[in-house]
Amino acid sequence: MKTQNIIKQLLFLSLGLIILLGCDREETLQPTPIFENGEPESTDELDQFLKIEFRDIYGCVIHYKFVDKFIDPTKSAVPPRVEVVRPIAELIKEAWIKPYNKASNQGDEFLKTYFPAEIVILGSPIFNNDNTITLGVADSGVRVTLTQANNYAPGNTGWILQTFRTLHHEFAHIVDQNFKFDIEAFFKISEDSYTSPGSWTQEDEESAIIRGMVTPYATSAPSEDFAEIMARIITTDPAVFESTYITPADCSVAGAPANCGEINKGKAKIKQKYDVVVKYMKEQVGIDLFVLRDEFLNNIN
């Protein structure tokens, strides 16, 4: 199946799946020491690969063992199968590192500065005690958690899109933390349209668009709105993004939805946010989102 078709299908996931797409942000995390109690460095082939490709270049430690210590004790998750760790690490290079290196006006120096110090790979989602799951966590610019690694399979474009949409969302928070996106001005575009705490799960794609946001989760807070639109720009074919979120519907044709006008007003707000985010990334962060998007989509094919 063509990547564009897969992306388009993912845009219309049922609410039952969308509810699962939450993310957590911790504000006071301190990085875990790489080696505790003077333990010798592993000579395992996989560990050496991760050291050479991530720690030595980007100062990033990838954790895949003893993962319980990296999640809240009130929550649970399972570790990844060892055989999926290296392919996923290779995907991180192709679908995250290489696109940013090409899109940044600093080349690879950008990620050498801002890449998270730790990536935790979990085999499952994080199971919360309220019967929901968490698919990604960004911890104060220090750690990003990747979940559902055990669902990885070569050529599984759906898994790749879902996983890296989450990772790009979480990295958007890290960008925000370092470059101080003007969230107050962004908030004013949809000022009265954000949902009350916890109620975003009652939204669907259409109601989110009417509110001027690209996903139900984006309605939960301006910071999540920013991260969601940035992740969607990066991981969505531009023609699909345009038709789904920006191009106004013709309300005069037979069969146009009764709320066509509301949908178009919401799309106009999304276009405003799209322009703001693209400009911010280009002028303040030094990242061309269009180059980043094209490189990402090309590399996952």
Side-chain angles (χ1 to χ4, degrees), residues 205-220:
E205 290 290 342
E206 184 177 282
S207 67
I209 290 172
I210 288 171
R211 290 175 180 271
M213 299 160 211
V214 293
T215 67
Y217 189 57
T219 71
S220 64

Side-chain angles (χ1 to χ4, degrees), residues 42-151:
S42 170
T43 58
D44 176 81
E45 182 180 351
L46 173 58
D47 292 337
Q48 282 295 302
F49 166 79
L50 297 175
K51 172 187 177 296
I52 292 168
E53 296 294 333
F54 292 90
R55 197 182 96 203
D56 290 354
I57 300 173
Y58 299 102
C60 174
V61 179
I62 294 185
H63 300 287
Y64 64 95
K65 305 172 185 175
F66 312 112
V67 293
D68 284 352
K69 67 181 180 180
F70 298 110
I71 61 175
D72 187 309
T74 66
K75 303 176 182 181
S76 62
V78 301
R81 303 192 314 273
V82 173
E83 63 267 24
V84 304
V85 174
R86 179 160 181 161
I88 288 173
E90 296 280 11
L91 268 174
I92 290 171
K93 291 169 58 181
E94 293 296 323
W96 184 356
I97 292 175
K98 287 185 179 180
Y100 264 96
N101 286 351
K102 187 166 184 177
S104 173
N105 61 10
Q106 301 177 50
D108 62 1
E109 291 302 316
F110 178 81
L111 286 186
K112 286 180 180 178
T113 302
Y114 298 108
F115 203 66
E118 298 177 318
I119 295 175
V120 178
I121 298 178
L122 302 179
S124 69
I126 298 171
F127 297 99
N128 304 314
N129 54 18
D130 60 357
N131 296 319
T132 63
I133 64 173
T134 298
L135 296 186
V137 184
D139 296 323
S140 195
V142 174
R143 178 188 298 157
V144 167
T145 300
L146 178 157
T147 68
Q148 301 191 105
N150 289 342
N151 291 346

Side-chain angles (χ1 to χ4, degrees), residues 18 21-22 169 186 190 193-195 200-201 203-205 208-209 211-230 232 245 270 273:
I18 292 167
L21 299 180
H169 172 113
F186 189 79
S190 293
S193 298
Y194 291 99
T195 54
W200 69 268
T201 58
E203 302 295 318
D204 59 21
E205 290 290 342
I209 290 172
R211 290 175 180 271
M213 299 160 211
V214 293
T215 67
Y217 189 57
T219 71
S220 64
S223 60
E224 303 303 344
D225 190 8
F226 163 74
E228 281 289 271
I229 195 168
M230 185 161 144
R232 292 282 163 157
Y245 299 120
I270 292 173
K273 295 175 185 179

Side-chain angles (χ1 to χ4, degrees), residues 249-261 263:
D250 185 350
C251 299
S252 66
V253 300
N259 57 355
C260 182
I263 292 172

